[in-house]
Amino acid sequence: MANPGGATNPFASPSPAAASSSSWDDLPDDFFLSASISSPPAAPAPIPSTSPRPAANPAPHRSASLPPASTPAPAPAPATASGSFSDSPRRRAPPPSHHTQSQPQHLLNPSYSLPAYPAAAPRSAAAVWPPPPGPHHAGSLPEFAAAPASRAHRPPARAAVRADRPPPLELRPRPPRESQARAALRALACCRDHAPCGGARPGPRLWAAGEAGVRAWDLADAFRAPPARPRWGDEAAAPFRESRRTPPALCLEVDPSRGVVWSGHEDGRIMGWTADQGPDAGECLAWEAHRGPVFALTVSPYGDLWSGSEGGVIKVWYGEAIEKSLVSQREEKRKTSFLVERSSIDLRDMVSDGGACPLPAVDVKLLLSDNSRSKVWSAGYLSFALWDSRTKELLKVFNIDGQVDTRFDILSAQDPYSYETKQTLFSSPRKEKARSPVGFLQRSRNALLGAADAVRRAAVKAGFGDDTRRIEALTMSADGMIWTGSANGSLAQWDGSGYHLREFLHHSSSIQCICNFGTRLWVGYMDGNIQLLDLEGNLLGRWSAHNSPILSMAVGGSYIFTLAGHGGIRGWNLSSPGPLDSILRSELFEKDVSYKSFEYMKVLVGSWNVGQEKASYESLRAWLKLPIPEVGMVVIGLQEVEMGAGFLAMSAAKETVGLEGSPNGEWWLDAIGQILKGHSFVRVGSRQMAGLIIAVWVRINLKQFIGDIDNAAVACGLGRAIGNKGAVGLRMRIHDRSICFVNCHFAAHMEAVSRRNEDFDHVFRSMTFSSPSNGLLTTSVSGSAAQPLRGENGLRLPELSDTDMIVFLGDFNYRLSDISYDEAMGLVSRRCFDWLRENDQLRAEMRYGRVFQGLREGEFKFPPTYKFNKHIPGLSGYDSSEKKRIPAWCDRILYRDSRARSDIECSLEYPVVGSISMYDSCMEATDSDHKPVKCVFNLDVAHVDKQTMRQKYGEIMTSNKKVLYLLQGLEAFPEVNISTKDIILQDQNPSVVKLQNRSTKELACFEIIGQTPNSSGTPFSGFPSWLKVSPAVGIISPGQSVDVTLQHGQLRSQDYLTSTSGNSPGAGQEKDATLLVMVTGVYSTAVRDHKIHLQHQTRRDAFPSRGYNFADRLFG
């Protein structure tokens, strides 16, 4: 429509404030783009018109189709699928493509070109949706819907029981992250259902180490309801017992022969917990082990406890001292704990000599006991060390490629003691300084190499090395192979001597943990995936176990349990994937009525461009007045809270270091909070970037159902780095459903339609959420590390795609095109908003699928919200300055829920169904050149009652005949015969025990542990130090047998000095030991054990002269 020129606003009243305008609206259109444009391209096409072109020489400037000024506006007709709420009979031709016409120079600054868009979609792409079915949505507004352009814009698929993975046992459903502050879990371990020799046989128990201590679940109670008043975050978890609050626990290790679970803590303590009583009985032993945190623990087959700490420190705590402390009375605990502290040896000190040490000075993150060969593996960042678990000797140091580190002359490789240690232990005191047999030049060389190596390893630790190959996981399979996982997703296989055999890469995500049972390996990844492999490294299956990194895994009962970064614990049947999964999935689907639950809530969403002003109390009260008392959540988005070149530059700098906020922003949050506080609302999250703020308040009684609040910010200004334009978002879980709110401020000016479209696309595709860094949330895993959503072609979809509901609000800056100021004001004065909406740029772009694809907007009848003179009420406040900006609906609220069609009801497949009961502006607020808008959403939320579902899962597992039949076959015990149960060893002669699997179908797994009497009369758990057992772990094929060799081993002098061998080493003494052969199947941890009684008569000449002389010298 033509501009008649000289027309004035009939409602305007002269005032100094009327002429004021925002300096940011007057900037050139390419002000925030010029830095990212290398050269000015050709001029772009003109902005398309959404109304018919006027005649060449129109006599009247108003279209004949518009009602005359004296005619009242016609009543609106029912909305149709044409894409408009207007009753106008006009039919507009589809607008031409943005890049197909020439550009008049006065329409658009030609400093940058607009991208080519695909051909416009047919007009039927947009539709009007009626309210959804259901009593809560009766009387809601019809909604203008833009068609989704791709998979990224469609709602994600949901289901109570997913078809792409086995049905899990939800032992601990995902808790809200806020409930895990200073209580997050970090590691799992499981006591299998066998007991110390001669003791009672408790059921399997799953243990978890966390920042508040340890807790344990009796798996026999896995299907029961939790206590009457569970703590926040554990309302649906299975019953568990918890320890007193301790320093954060970092690792767990099960000691099955003693019936103890060991935990390593951040303050350097090691604590023991009685496995058959649980942590609520209190720790059975604790002592100060390290100066730094205890990262790793393992128990050797000889009963010694190994611990790893920072700086490469490894200590061994002898089993005999631990045994004495465990059986002592409560009043003696402190004394015996001190004895345990004094019983250790520092292996790093033991192998160091002349200022040089062959061990890397990096944190010992992983320890593994190779019970098959009586060795212990320790792992740092990029290297391993291999130890003899019986003699404590260092066997080799090698890197992740298997290359042996030979740059140091390791004296301890030839002699178990350094020269200085020998002088202290075996020589008489002398005043003069002892000379080392290593020469000065050699010691200097060692010192220089040590310093260089320390610098190299410090660089690796700091991230300057090949950090993608960092060692993250270490385990041993039942066939005696060692498996390691790296940060680049590679899985390596090693033999027991530390030789690299093979490497596999089945997934690119970082490996976090590996677990073995029977003939299977489970690999947990950073993105939440699990992969199942056989012992040859072949991939058997994979599925998405969690939407968060898998931190730890443990096998217990007939399940493998996974701990996710968000704190959830799930159990997967050891036979999965398999026929049992299909039965469980079908049965659970049929029972969904019993565990399906619905919630209803109302959400008030408001947006206001405040123009760097602070609103009056009256304006805030008018805007935030709750239209309905049932509103349970309030979401507020503000734009232009604070602007200015200096502020924007400072804000961009703060964003780079993770800082946010401003004085004006704090004022607004406090002012809104004070008003909502009177209605029992509390703020649960906020995010500010430059002048953009988004914040959420909820009623106190709903706070427990809202959690995992993440935030994000995307800049769309200069070089996509300045936040004068852009978006801030908050994502949260409400009743276990993901809902996101995004506050946007897009490019200004009438002609910048394509630029606004680009801003939306940039925000939608690049917004990545992370947890706030205010100290409240302690989980170190952000949402971006979770399992990414992928489309049909395998490409990763934006994070905003994987939300059950998303709401966009803000100053989108879409204007009214092809209409003059006077024409617009005439329609506004008669409230002909349906006619005026025909010129709305946003509706036109949505109709042709160019922006906000898949989103909907409620029908609105409020006046345009821009541009107003400040402090002038009513419609007379529209811009009366010389520029006479055409009124426009710049401020909007759009959304998408879980529905793919308008007639879908709320269900577990479509868990969030929304409608709009009110969409209005607040004309009473006059503090800005924009009017605030608000929208009330009615939400039906369907979710799974995890406690009821877990109980239904238990009913199926314990009563379904098909399931019981399958379990009976899976848990069948292979029959294993032991050739002899009484063995007498003679001197150094080996003896062989044959283990024969009598089954013709089932594999059998075996593990041998020891129990030996000692001089104090207490049982010693572990092999005696004089005994070699090989192999102590293995697999027996159907109908086959395995030979286990038992032999008296050569003792080191240290064994005599510390008296830690199973029996005292006196000459001619008979030595006794009991071996327990534990046999399991491959799909259950149920154990059948066999005892072997072992005797050996020690003779004086059975020892080498050097070792015997030391013992003879000390013990007479």
Side-chain angles (χ1 to χ4, degrees):
M1 298 182 182
N3 188 342
T8 60
N9 182 354
F11 303 102
S13 58
S15 111
S20 64
S21 63
S22 171
S23 59
W24 293 97
D25 288 337
D26 297 331
L27 289 175
D29 188 70
D30 63 340
F31 179 79
F32 292 109
L33 276 174
S34 57
S36 60
I37 303 300
S38 56
S39 61
I47 302 300
S49 170
T50 57
S51 63
R53 295 284 179 182
N57 297 305
H61 66 268
R62 182 173 298 277
S63 170
S65 63
L66 294 178
S70 60
T71 305
T80 66
S82 64
S84 171
F85 295 109
S86 174
D87 61 339
S88 168
R90 293 181 297 172
R91 294 293 183 266
R92 302 180 184 276
S97 175
H98 284 253
H99 63 288
T100 59
Q101 296 185 13
S102 59
Q103 170 63 48
Q105 294 298 316
H106 68 280
L107 290 180
L108 186 66
N109 190 302
S111 61
Y112 66 96
S113 64
L114 302 175
Y117 281 85
R123 187 175 172 124
S124 60
V128 174
W129 283 28
H136 297 141
H137 308 287
S140 295
L141 301 175
E143 298 167 3
F144 177 86
S150 66
R151 167 68 182 86
H153 301 98
R154 292 195 291 268
R158 303 296 189 205
V161 184
R162 292 175 51 170
D164 58 347
R165 72 181 181 195
L169 166 62
E170 296 274 2
L171 191 73
R172 190 197 192 209
R174 174 180 179 174
R177 189 192 308 114
E178 292 76 6
S179 69
Q180 301 305 292
R182 298 182 299 277
L185 302 181
R186 297 180 175 181
L188 293 180
C190 196
C191 295
R192 300 181 184 177
D193 45 353
H194 61 78
C197 188
R201 185 185 296 275
R205 180 176 283 116
L206 182 70
W207 291 72
E211 296 180 343
V214 298
R215 59 172 64 182
W217 283 267
D218 286 313
L219 297 187
D221 299 332
F223 305 126
R224 297 180 182 174
R229 299 185 63 183
R231 68 164 60 189
W232 182 33
D234 291 311
E235 294 88 352
F240 62 89
R241 291 183 283 180
E242 195 168 19
S243 71
R244 65 173 178 85
R245 191 168 190 90
T246 68
L250 306 180
C251 57
L252 283 176
E253 179 68 15
V254 175
D255 191 344
S257 60
R258 296 187 179 96
V260 174
V261 174
W262 302 105
S263 59
H265 295 259
E266 196 174 69
D267 64 346
R269 293 172 64 85
I270 294 177
M271 306 181 75
W273 311 88
T274 304
D276 59 349
Q277 296 179 354
D280 54 347
E283 70 272 13
C284 57
L285 186 61
W287 70 91
E288 299 288 342
H290 293 270
R291 295 181 179 178
V294 181
F295 293 124
L297 293 169
T298 192
V299 178
S300 77
Y302 293 91
D304 302 325
L305 180 63
W306 294 53
S307 60
S309 185
E310 58 186 6
V313 176
I314 302 175
K315 290 186 178 182
V316 179
W317 314 87
Y318 280 107
E320 189 172 56
I322 293 175
E323 296 284 348
K324 292 179 180 179
S325 298
L326 289 175
V327 300
S328 63
Q329 300 298 322
R330 180 176 297 273
E331 57 270 11
E332 300 176 359
K333 289 291 185 184
R334 182 175 299 180
K335 181 180 179 180
T336 55
S337 296
F338 177 74
L339 294 177
V340 174
E341 292 182 27
R342 299 295 295 247
S343 72
S344 69
I345 58 172
D346 190 325
L347 297 185
R348 184 174 181 84
D349 289 344
M350 193 177 75
V351 301
S352 300
D353 185 73
C357 179
L359 296 175
V362 296
D363 299 345
V364 179
K365 291 290 188 179
L366 301 166
L367 287 171
L368 173 68
S369 178
D370 180 357
N371 293 347
S372 178
R373 304 172 187 85
S374 299
K375 295 177 181 178
V376 172
W377 289 58
S378 63
Y381 291 91
L382 298 171
S383 62
F384 302 92
L386 190 58
W387 308 81
D388 188 314
S389 63
R390 189 176 68 90
T391 64
K392 316 301 183 294
E393 291 180 275
L394 177 62
L395 303 178
K396 63 188 295 188
V397 178
F398 52 100
N399 61 19
I400 53 178
D401 295 317
Q403 299 173 351
V404 178
D405 190 347
T406 58
R407 289 172 295 170
F408 298 94
D409 295 329
I410 307 174
L411 182 63
S412 58
Q414 292 81 29
D415 195 325
Y417 293 111
S418 67
Y419 180 77
E420 290 79 6
T421 305
K422 288 181 178 179
Q423 290 294 323
T424 303
L425 291 175
F426 308 123
S427 302
S428 57
R430 291 189 299 175
K431 291 184 179 180
E432 61 271 25
K433 181 179 180 180
R435 292 184 178 273
S436 171
V438 181
F440 172 76
L441 293 178
Q442 182 65 47
R443 286 189 285 112
S444 300
R445 172 180 175 271
N446 286 348
L448 291 174
L449 288 174
D453 192 67
V455 172
R456 178 182 64 84
R457 285 163 176 154
V460 170
K461 182 177 178 181
F464 299 105
D466 190 2
D467 193 58
T468 61
R469 304 184 66 191
R470 183 180 66 252
I471 304 164
E472 295 286 357
L474 177 66
T475 195
M476 186 184 77
S477 56
D479 61 353
M481 294 293 104
I482 307 299
W483 296 81
T484 61
S486 301
N488 61 2
S490 65
L491 190 68
Q493 185 187 44
W494 308 73
D495 68 6
S497 299
Y499 292 102
H500 188 275
L501 301 179
R502 291 181 292 178
E503 193 159 329
F504 308 89
L505 184 61
H506 296 298
H507 193 40
S508 60
S509 180
S510 172
I511 294 176
Q512 296 297 292
C513 51
I514 310 173
C515 188
N516 164 254
F517 183 78
T519 59
R520 293 183 167 193
L521 286 171
W522 286 265
V523 184
Y525 289 91
M526 174 67 79
D527 63 1
N529 271 309
I530 276 184
Q531 288 191 341
L532 178 63
L533 288 75
D534 62 17
L535 299 186
E536 296 298 320
N538 300 313
L539 186 62
L540 302 178
R542 69 175 75 184
W543 62 85
S544 175
H546 301 272
N547 59 357
S548 183
I550 301 176
L551 303 183
S552 182
M553 294 189 288
V555 174
S558 58
Y559 298 92
I560 177 167
F561 293 94
T562 56
L563 169 64
H566 52 53
I569 300 176
R570 284 174 172 162
W572 313 87
N573 200 283
L574 291 175
S575 63
S576 297
L580 182 61
D581 301 328
S582 300
I583 299 175
L584 278 170
R585 189 180 296 112
S586 175
E587 291 293 324
L588 286 172
F589 184 79
E590 291 180 1
K591 298 177 182 292
D592 68 344
V593 176
S594 60
Y595 56 77
K596 181 168 53 177
S597 182
F598 294 94
E599 306 293 340
Y600 171 70
M601 64 183 302
K602 287 182 177 288
V603 179
L604 172 65
V605 178
S607 173
W608 193 2
N609 185 325
V610 299
Q612 307 182 70
E613 299 290 344
K614 295 180 179 179
S616 65
Y617 180 78
E618 291 75 16
S619 296
L620 287 177
R621 290 278 296 179
W623 178 38
L624 300 176
K625 179 176 60 177
L626 298 182
I628 307 171
E630 292 84 5
V631 170
M633 174 183 291
V634 176
V635 181
I636 298 297
L638 304 174
Q639 307 86 43
E640 293 191 15
V641 169
E642 197 164 351
M643 301 293 279
F647 171 76
L648 293 176
M650 179 61 68
S651 175
K654 291 167 66 176
E655 286 286 333
T656 61
V657 295
L659 299 178
E660 60 173 288
S662 68
N664 277 8
E666 291 299 324
W667 183 91
W668 274 98
L669 292 177
D670 291 343
I672 296 173
Q674 286 297 323
I675 292 178
L676 296 178
K677 186 177 180 181
H679 300 277
S680 302
F681 281 88
V682 293
R683 178 156 56 101
V684 295
S686 64
R687 180 68 162 96
Q688 178 174 358
M689 178 189 69
L692 284 164
I693 290 181
I694 188 168
V696 175
W697 287 262
V698 299
R699 290 194 189 272
I700 295 177
N701 62 327
L702 295 179
K703 185 178 179 181
Q704 61 176 323
F705 305 111
I706 299 173
D708 293 355
I709 302 174
D710 299 326
N711 62 63
V714 177
C716 294
L718 176 62
R720 301 296 192 194
I722 303 299
N724 65 302
K725 296 295 189 289
V728 289
L730 287 177
R731 182 182 62 186
M732 62 201 70
R733 298 188 69 81
I734 303 175
H735 295 294
D736 205 35
R737 297 303 178 186
S738 176
I739 299 181
C740 180
F741 302 92
V742 182
N743 175 29
C744 306
H745 192 192
F746 294 157
H749 300 295
M750 174 77 73
E751 66 276 6
V753 178
S754 294
R755 176 62 180 171
R756 288 188 276 275
N757 296 350
E758 293 171 13
D759 286 348
F760 167 78
D761 187 71
H762 178 63
V763 169
F764 187 85
R765 296 187 181 278
S766 60
M767 180 164 279
T768 302
F769 290 88
S770 62
S771 55
S773 56
N774 56 6
L776 172 65
L777 308 180
T778 58
T779 302
S780 61
V781 181
S782 68
S784 60
Q787 167 77 9
L789 187 68
R790 298 189 181 275
E792 295 89 344
N793 55 4
L795 297 178
R796 181 170 181 171
L797 296 179
E799 285 193 23
L800 290 178
S801 300
D802 193 25
T803 54
D804 297 301
M805 178 178 178
I806 181 171
V807 178
F808 279 88
L809 59 143
D811 179 6
F812 301 154
N813 257 322
Y814 286 90
R815 309 298 175 89
L816 299 181
S817 60
D818 231 11
I819 190 171
S820 69
Y821 176 82
D822 281 346
E823 288 175 325
M825 292 306 303
L827 292 175
V828 169
S829 66
R830 297 190 300 278
R831 295 186 175 272
C832 297
F833 301 137
D834 287 342
W835 294 87
L836 197 61
R837 195 164 45 237
E838 287 290 317
N839 300 83
D840 180 28
Q841 291 177 344
L842 177 57
R843 286 289 175 90
E845 296 301 302
M846 290 176 65
R847 183 177 296 116
Y848 294 102
R850 298 192 183 112
V851 73
F852 290 107
Q853 296 88 343
L855 273 73
R856 306 191 298 274
E857 183 182 27
E859 180 184 27
F860 58 86
K861 297 184 178 297
F862 54 83
T865 59
Y866 172 87
K867 179 185 194 250
F868 285 85
N869 299 318
K870 297 178 182 178
H871 308 300
I872 298 179
L875 298 179
S876 61
Y878 281 105
D879 185 21
S880 61
S881 66
E882 293 182 0
K883 293 185 177 181
K884 293 182 178 176
R885 293 180 177 84
I886 299 173
W889 286 287
C890 293
D891 309 278
R892 313 287 275 270
I893 300 173
L894 290 78
Y895 85 107
R896 176 206 34 92
D897 56 9
S898 299
R899 291 181 293 162
R901 303 186 313 273
S902 62
D903 58 344
I904 292 177
E905 291 186 276
C906 185
S907 65
L908 294 179
E909 289 73 28
Y910 305 98
V912 180
V913 171
S915 65
I916 298 174
S917 60
M918 189 200 72
Y919 189 19
D920 201 0
S921 65
C922 178
M923 298 300 292
E924 296 90 338
T926 61
D927 307 277
S928 170
D929 56 353
H930 288 252
K931 298 297 183 184
V933 295
K934 57 185 175 181
C935 184
V936 175
F937 290 95
N938 307 310
L939 299 185
D940 281 330
V941 181
H943 64 98
V944 173
D945 186 332
K946 295 297 180 65
Q947 176 183 329
T948 304
M949 187 177 186
R950 178 164 44 81
Q951 293 172 341
K952 295 300 178 184
Y953 188 102
E955 291 177 6
I956 298 171
M957 292 293 292
T958 56
S959 61
N960 185 280
K961 293 182 179 179
K962 295 180 181 179
V963 171
L964 292 176
Y965 177 78
L966 287 176
L967 290 178
Q968 184 179 3
L970 293 173
E971 297 176 0
F973 254 111
E975 288 290 337
V976 175
N977 286 348
I978 310 296
S979 61
T980 179
K981 297 187 178 181
D982 291 290
I983 299 175
I984 299 177
L985 293 179
Q986 298 290 341
D987 300 334
Q988 302 290 326
N989 299 324
S991 180
V992 176
V993 177
K994 186 180 293 293
L995 309 181
Q996 183 181 13
N997 183 2
R998 297 184 59 185
S999 173
T1000 59
K1001 296 181 179 180
E1002 305 296 335
L1003 290 169
C1005 301
F1006 72 91
E1007 181 180 1
I1008 303 176
I1009 61 175
Q1011 192 164 30
T1012 310
N1014 55 29
S1015 57
S1016 64
T1018 59
F1020 178 82
S1021 299
F1023 297 145
S1025 58
W1026 48 265
L1027 178 65
K1028 288 183 177 180
V1029 180
S1030 178
V1033 176
I1035 299 176
I1036 313 175
S1037 300
Q1040 302 298 315
S1041 60
V1042 170
D1043 292 339
V1044 177
T1045 301
L1046 308 177
Q1047 187 177 15
H1048 191 288
Q1050 179 179 333
L1051 293 177
R1052 298 193 318 155
S1053 307
Q1054 185 177 357
D1055 294 316
Y1056 295 100
L1057 295 173
T1058 58
S1059 296
T1060 58
S1061 56
N1063 302 106
S1064 298
Q1069 178 181 345
E1070 186 179 84
K1071 302 173 184 177
D1072 297 322
T1074 299
L1075 301 183
L1076 193 65
V1077 181
M1078 300 181 299
V1079 180
T1080 67
V1082 295
Y1083 295 120
S1084 174
T1085 59
V1087 172
R1088 183 170 296 171
D1089 51 45
H1090 307 267
K1091 291 182 182 179
I1092 299 176
H1093 183 65
L1094 181 66
Q1095 291 182 341
H1096 183 270
Q1097 180 67 38
T1098 305
R1099 299 192 315 174
R1100 180 179 295 270
D1101 56 3
F1103 292 94
S1105 59
R1106 184 177 65 172
Y1108 171 73
N1109 290 336
F1110 282 132
D1112 202 26
R1113 178 175 181 179
L1114 292 176
F1115 299 107

